[in-house]
């Protein structure tokens, strides 16, 4: 978090074992479709970015327990 990130590489979706992803307080405007491949995510913090649209299939995380999309 707090890194001024504007884009994410689609290859992020290949990290299948990732459980916690904190991208809060960056400059993300969109997410790659491949983020939906992170099926083991338990926590995903995307707060305080500029995200307006979520990729198709975004709601299919089965293990997700915490999702923060506030202040987008």
């Amino acid at each position: 978090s707090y890194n001024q990130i504007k884009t994410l590489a689609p290859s992020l979706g290949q990290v299948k074992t990732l459980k916690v992803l904190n991208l809060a307080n960056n400059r993300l405007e969109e997410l790659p479709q491949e983020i939906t491949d992170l099926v083991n995510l338990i926590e995903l913090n995307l707060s305080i970015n500029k995200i307006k649209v979520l990729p198709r299939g975004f709601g299919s995380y089965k293990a997700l327990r915490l999702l923060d999309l506030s202040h987008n």
Side-chain angles (χ1 to χ4, degrees):
S1 67
Y2 298 93
N3 291 304
Q4 307 295 315
I5 297 170
K6 293 181 180 180
T7 60
L8 296 175
S11 59
L12 177 66
Q14 296 174 3
V15 188
K16 305 287 186 197
T17 57
L18 192 63
K19 294 185 185 261
V20 176
L21 182 57
N22 184 352
L23 292 166
N25 205 352
N26 282 288
R27 294 184 178 179
L28 294 170
E29 293 183 10
E30 62 183 7
L31 302 171
Q33 180 64 44
E34 291 81 1
I35 199 167
T36 62
D37 294 337
L38 300 174
V39 295
N40 290 309
L41 275 183
I42 295 171
E43 295 182 15
L44 178 56
N45 187 343
L46 296 167
S47 64
I48 314 170
N49 278 284
K50 299 178 179 186
I51 300 166
K52 301 292 181 216
V53 177
L54 298 173
R56 183 174 273 181
F58 188 81
S60 62
Y61 295 109
K62 296 192 186 323
L64 198 62
R65 298 292 174 252
L66 178 120
L67 173 62
D68 191 346
L69 290 166
S70 62
H71 305 286
N72 274 286

